[in-house]
Amino acid sequence: MKVALLGGTGAVGQRFVKMLSGHPWFELTVITGKTSVGKRYGEVNWVLEGEVPEEFRDIVVSENSLESLKEVDLVFSALPSKEAREFERELMNRGIPLVSNASALRMDPLVPLIIPEVNPDHLSLIERQKELGVGPAATDPNCTTTVLTLPLKPLHDAYTLKRLDVASYQALSGAGYPGVPSYDIVDNVIPFISGEEEKVQNETKKLLGEVDGGEVKFASFDVQATCVRVPVLDGHMVAVHAEFEEEVDPEEAAKLLENFSSEPQRLELPTAPARPIHVRGEENRPQPRYDRDAEGGMSVVVGRIRKGANRHSLLFVVVGHNTVRGAAGQAILLAELMRAKNII
Ligand SMILES: NC(=O)c1ccc[n+]([C@@H]2O[C@H](COP(=O)([O-])OP(=O)(O)OC[C@H]3O[C@@H](n4cnc5c(N)ncnc54)[C@H](OP(=O)(O)O)[C@@H]3O)[C@@H](O)[C@H]2O)c1
């Protein structure tokens, strides 16, 4: 399939480009941007490790327009949310297949918000899009929500979440490029990230909700979040305190996490990790520097699993790569799932 990438020169866009290099199903042929329109992709300010993949160097960055998307079968979006709002809606209304990383459509009742291992069944919302003659359009969640919700899934299935208190320690690349000024973040942490806590609260409940009558009934547990920016380049850490309806045994919970696998693994999708959740027993793991690249950044790493204040509560820490599992890699995995199910 020929694919386009909107916002392909930013922090997430570059990760897409790297992960689409040599992809067995998707051929990247169009890249859009704003300030870099007209440049060869090989001339953009590449901020990832290694070089710009050879096969994309001569693509000339175009502006967002329906004209530039004429020849493609699928559009990935890594646009800033403000820019995404109108354009993604227009693509959806015109029936141009879209998989987006931006928050613009995530809370639209017609649009599935998906972590491929957590709620692949929510893709059934696309039936309603078809009836209305729009889409297919699907989104993946915010990076912190992704890292948090992957391990919550098997625990929620087993014990039923009642209440969730989380604190995130978020990497600089989560703010895009150039992101937070160095003067603000070196020798410092910043206890506020605009809009992030609301995203964690709302998206977690949509992801763990159930489709009923063609719409998602949000999960009913309470969520409280504090989101903090820290001077780490890549990899978000989340400290989780989860309280469940049922009693929880930390050892059994660790086994559920370690053994968790889902549809992307059964379908052997090209970008699926063998094990989406890794568990570490050392008292000083997971750490962003050592654990963000588990299975190429597509797995999250959980550690410090222990009892909370009562028999219904569990504490743990999880780390995941925010631009791979939290953005580009997950969007590619979602598109693979949609392809495997003949939605695109
Ligand atoms: N960073 C993360 O960890 C992360 C995780 C999950 C989701 N997201 C979401 O992913 C999206 C991209 O984030 P980012 O961190 O990559 O941001 P970024 O580094 O600021 O990149 C923004 C990109 O959008 C392009 N752009 C801006 N306005 C445009 C327009 N009108 N038309 C076409 N292109 C335009 C820019 O192009 P030029 O360079 O040419 O100006 C650049 O390629 C955001 O919606 C963000 O919320 C980010």
Side-chain angles (χ1 to χ4, degrees), residues 33-337:
K34 187 177 183 186
T35 52
S36 29
V37 170
K39 280 188 185 166
R40 283 174 53 248
Y41 197 75
E43 293 164 354
V44 305
N45 180 27
W46 183 253
V47 296
L48 298 187
E49 58 286 355
E51 302 291 333
V52 176
E54 190 63 42
E55 68 266 42
F56 304 134
R57 282 172 182 238
D58 289 328
I59 293 182
V60 175
V61 178
S62 50
E63 59 179 15
N64 276 350
S65 69
L66 293 172
E67 181 63 22
S68 56
L69 304 178
K70 254 184 2 210
E71 310 277 318
V72 301
D73 307 300
L74 169 68
V75 176
F76 285 114
S77 170
L79 288 174
S81 283
K82 198 163 122 277
E83 319 290 339
R85 218 164 286 142
E86 270 181 35
F87 195 59
E88 290 190 1
R89 176 74 58 193
E90 184 169 7
L91 296 183
M92 184 174 156
N93 287 343
R94 286 176 179 263
I96 298 173
L98 171 72
V99 172
S100 176
N101 250 289
S103 63
L105 297 176
R106 283 182 198 147
M107 285 296 135
D108 186 313
L110 264 187
V111 179
L113 173 70
I114 308 263
I115 294 176
E117 285 90 346
V118 168
N119 59 337
D121 57 308
H122 288 201
L123 280 174
S124 64
L125 292 188
I126 287 176
E127 290 302 319
R128 281 203 60 211
Q129 295 182 10
K130 272 195 203 150
E131 284 161 23
L132 297 169
V134 300
T139 56
D140 75 341
N142 155 278
C143 37
T144 311
T145 309
T146 295
V147 172
L148 166 68
T149 308
L150 255 174
L152 288 180
K153 168 68 179 165
L155 300 175
H156 182 51
D157 284 349
Y159 309 118
T160 312
L161 266 167
K162 188 172 165 194
R163 184 192 156 100
L164 197 58
D165 286 293
V166 301
S168 67
Y169 305 76
Q170 300 188 207
L172 291 171
S173 60
Y177 185 84
V180 188
S182 56
Y183 205 95
D184 293 343
I185 196 68
V186 173
D187 186 31
N188 209 6
V189 299
I190 301 172
F192 175 67
I193 302 174
S194 181
E196 198 77 0
E197 290 158 4
E198 293 79 0
K199 286 179 191 162
V200 170
Q201 285 153 11
N202 298 330
E203 293 177 17
T204 314
K205 293 202 262 189
K206 183 170 181 183
L207 287 158
L208 293 174
E210 283 179 7
V211 178
D212 182 5
E215 58 182 63
V216 179
K217 301 270 184 270
F218 282 38
S220 60
F221 52 82
D222 293 327
V223 189
Q224 303 188 111
T226 300
C227 296
V228 175
R229 185 76 65 199
V230 298
V232 164
L233 203 50
D234 290 315
H236 289 356
M237 174 184 280
V238 188
V240 183
H241 173 188
E243 199 167 315
F244 298 93
E245 300 288 351
E246 312 290 326
E247 288 188 13
V248 192
D249 170 45
E251 271 183 33
E252 185 189 73
K255 285 201 188 97
L256 287 173
L257 292 166
E258 185 73 28
N259 294 331
F260 175 66
S261 76
S262 180
E263 217 163 329
Q265 287 69 39
R266 280 194 288 283
L267 293 168
E268 298 183 2
L269 299 177
T271 305
R275 282 183 299 127
I277 304 168
H278 293 204
V279 174
R280 307 236 15 159
E282 304 92 320
E283 62 187 8
N284 64 350
R285 298 289 280 274
Q287 297 181 19
R289 187 146 35 109
Y290 300 124
D291 294 305
R292 63 191 167 207
D293 290 324
E295 298 205 38
M298 285 302 289
S299 299
V300 300
V301 181
V302 175
R304 304 223 50 227
I305 302 172
R306 61 210 192 276
K307 268 199 174 103
N310 61 56
R311 287 196 301 241
H312 293 254
S313 70
L314 188 75
L315 307 183
F316 65 88
V317 174
V318 56
V319 162
H321 200 302
N322 53 298
T323 63
V324 180
R325 171 51 88 159
Q330 179 155 270
I332 294 170
L333 184 62
L334 172 53
E336 291 168 0
L337 180 66

